[in-house]
Amino acid sequence: MDSRPRLYLCTAFLCGVLLTLGFKDVYPDLERRFRRRRVPINSIAGAGLAPKDHIDLEDRTKKINEADRHVVEIGEGIEACVGNTPLFRIKSLSEETGCDILGKAEFLNGAGGSPKDRVAFNMIKTAEEQGLLTPHSGDTIYEGTVGSTGISLATICRARGYLAHICMPSDQATEKSDLLLKLGAVVDRVPPAPIIDPMHFVNRARNLAADHTADPTRAGRGYFADQFENQANWQAHFEGTGPEIYQQCGGKVDAFVAGAGTGGTIAGVARFLKPKLPNLRVVLADPQGSGLFNRIKNGVMFDPLEREGTRRRSQVDTIVEGIGINRVTANFEAGRELIDDAIKVNDEEALAMARWLAEKDGMFVGSSSAVNCVAAARLARLSGPGQRIVTILCDSGTRHLSKFWTHAGDIGGRTDTKLSHILGD
């Protein structure tokens, strides 16, 4: 006769007794074993640790419960994701140069994915405070931009009840205008033209805003954001980016390196950090074709490729997008006297650095970030080991696939690139 049914009945009876009497009375150690179970880590798939290593589940639960007691403020809307971006050590560049080269991960701003989130949000808030914009009134924000500011504006416009009309040069990466269209912005891709041309993308945005306001048949007003001249630009970095860097570094920064398009980032950060850190070196990273290098080095605004006073070229002669310019802006001038030096970066160096960062660090960055990293690494080599250098990582390479990264190509399985190949030393 099969004895298994009898065994099952006996087991069930014994369990009932234990439950009735309580674990503690029948088997004092049993309660402790259930309450404080220790699980070998190597029982977790893929852990690969020795059996003696354990996870104390009770201790971990206690730590989690303690963390839960801390109240975390819940933000209001996507605007709450602007700012407070991480600062991290770029391992490959730091190890190669003997300096701490730190990247401020502005591509992790949660609205439009670049430092322009700070600028767009502050420009809109300031205009609202001045009575120039009213949410959900039909007001439209117009801006001339090579892409990132437009994306940030289009995102925050939607969040705050405005429409966005973006004018940009037609030679910019198409994924930028595609994203703008998905966000509901009107996009004008206009032929590249010098700033003196009425059809320059900035001038067109200004004129369209004025036409909107003057038209009684259109709802709302047209507001020209004017990122190049709007003081809310550098103030956003004075109030946000600069204090964050200072706090994250514990007040220890030897150099700050950044490129400039409007100039708001470098001006705002310099204006905050310099009074607190008098020995701080602020260094401009400038792509080829831009005149800002000469503005810092020689006090004049021209590029060697063109004579002073004849700036009629259609654009800055580089594949780098977002930084570099051949005119003076109010935002750049707001911090120009605080900039100590400038480093020129050519396209080949920027492309090589982008490949290096992907190869060595798994960082897939855009063109302006690559320029900043070249300048930071070169400054580290010139300064010697032991320095702490902070730079800006502006946006992801996903916005530069059709232009910059087409030139950069795929890194494949390479792991042998030398920094000297990039810097030429």
Side-chain angles (χ1 to χ4, degrees):
M1 180 177 178
D2 191 348
S3 61
R4 283 179 295 180
R6 188 177 301 169
L7 178 61
Y8 296 155
L9 289 172
C10 291
T11 302
F13 175 76
L14 180 59
C15 289
V17 171
L18 289 173
L19 291 170
T20 303
L21 297 177
F23 293 128
K24 192 182 300 183
D25 296 330
V26 178
Y27 190 174
D29 191 47
L30 188 61
E31 183 190 40
R32 182 186 62 79
R33 289 192 179 188
F34 274 90
R35 178 172 55 82
R36 192 176 178 85
R37 186 182 178 199
R38 299 176 71 84
V39 183
I41 287 181
N42 68 338
S43 68
I44 300 173
L49 298 178
K52 64 181 179 179
D53 297 310
H54 294 82
I55 297 175
D56 192 321
L57 296 182
E58 184 176 89
D59 288 346
R60 289 212 168 182
T61 301
K62 183 179 178 182
K63 290 177 181 178
I64 292 170
N65 290 337
E66 288 174 353
D68 286 344
R69 294 192 187 100
H70 296 289
V71 178
V72 178
E73 183 180 352
I74 298 174
E76 185 69 22
I78 194 68
E79 303 97 311
C81 299
V82 177
N84 297 311
T85 55
L87 182 74
F88 67 94
R89 185 173 181 267
I90 303 175
K91 293 187 291 185
S92 66
L93 295 180
S94 299
E95 291 166 3
E96 285 287 328
T97 62
C99 293
D100 275 338
I101 298 182
L102 311 180
K104 180 71 166 153
E106 288 293 279
F107 60 86
L108 292 179
N109 273 295
S114 81
K116 297 301 185 180
D117 282 359
R118 301 176 187 267
V119 176
F121 188 26
N122 200 42
M123 289 194 301
I124 290 175
K125 285 194 304 179
T126 302
E128 289 174 343
E129 292 165 0
Q130 295 172 348
L132 301 175
L133 286 172
T134 304
H136 307 290
S137 65
D139 285 354
T140 299
I141 297 177
Y142 293 80
E143 183 60 296
T145 168
V146 296
S148 290
T149 303
I151 292 166
S152 296
L153 278 171
T155 304
I156 297 174
C157 277
R158 282 293 173 180
R160 297 183 77 83
Y162 304 106
L163 300 175
H165 190 126
I166 306 301
C167 302
M168 62 187 301
S170 58
D171 62 348
Q172 300 301 294
T174 56
E175 47 267 33
K176 295 181 181 180
S177 55
D178 290 345
L179 179 54
L180 283 165
L181 290 170
K182 301 300 183 188
L183 289 167
V186 175
V187 181
D188 277 347
R189 288 179 68 97
V190 300
I195 189 63
I196 59 175
D197 191 320
M199 284 303 293
H200 183 276
F201 61 98
V202 172
N203 296 332
R204 178 163 173 76
R206 180 189 294 107
N207 294 334
L208 287 171
D211 291 344
H212 183 153
T213 301
D215 188 346
T217 66
R218 299 188 64 178
R221 296 163 293 183
Y223 174 74
F224 175 47
D226 199 13
Q227 61 168 325
F228 291 91
E229 312 301 327
N230 192 328
Q231 299 288 301
N233 182 338
W234 70 260
Q235 290 167 0
H237 296 289
F238 177 84
E239 296 169 1
T241 318
E244 288 172 27
I245 290 171
Y246 186 79
Q247 183 179 32
Q248 289 167 326
C249 289
K252 186 186 182 307
V253 188
D254 296 301
F256 175 69
V257 177
T262 64
T265 302
I266 196 167
V269 172
R271 288 183 69 149
F272 180 85
L273 291 181
K274 274 280 195 176
K276 294 180 177 297
L277 303 168
N279 295 323
L280 176 77
R281 296 184 67 198
V282 176
V283 179
L284 171 75
D286 208 33
Q288 68 181 51
S290 172
L292 296 179
F293 174 86
N294 289 291
R295 181 68 170 162
I296 297 302
K297 287 289 195 179
N298 306 310
V300 292
M301 190 69 184
F302 72 98
D303 183 83
L305 298 177
E306 55 186 346
R307 290 185 298 107
E308 179 74 0
T310 61
R311 293 190 296 276
R312 298 185 64 86
R313 292 164 61 245
S314 62
Q315 65 178 55
V316 174
D317 185 21
T318 179
I319 61 171
V320 172
E321 298 180 2
I323 58 174
I325 196 171
N326 272 319
R327 70 179 191 276
V328 174
T329 68
N331 277 285
F332 185 77
E333 289 299 295
R336 180 174 62 87
E337 295 298 327
L338 301 175
I339 300 174
D340 301 289
D341 203 356
I343 294 175
K344 179 70 76 175
V345 178
N346 64 42
D347 283 353
E348 288 306 313
E349 291 169 334
L351 292 165
M353 178 57 74
R355 291 191 295 266
W356 164 281
L357 293 171
E359 175 187 329
K360 305 293 187 182
D361 298 278
M363 291 167 52
F364 188 57
V365 300
S367 56
S368 52
S369 300
V371 169
N372 287 344
C373 287
V374 171
R378 180 160 288 139
L379 178 63
R381 285 282 176 86
L382 293 171
S383 302
Q387 299 287 298
R388 174 175 279 183
I389 300 170
V390 176
T391 194
I392 299 292
L393 302 176
C394 306
D395 61 4
S396 166
T398 56
R399 291 187 183 172
H400 301 261
L401 290 172
S402 63
K403 187 177 177 183
F404 180 78
W405 270 98
T406 295
H407 290 277
D410 300 331
I411 65 168
R414 292 199 63 173
T415 60
D416 59 347
T417 307
K418 304 297 183 186
L419 189 59
S420 58
H421 297 164
I422 302 173
L423 302 181
D425 52 13

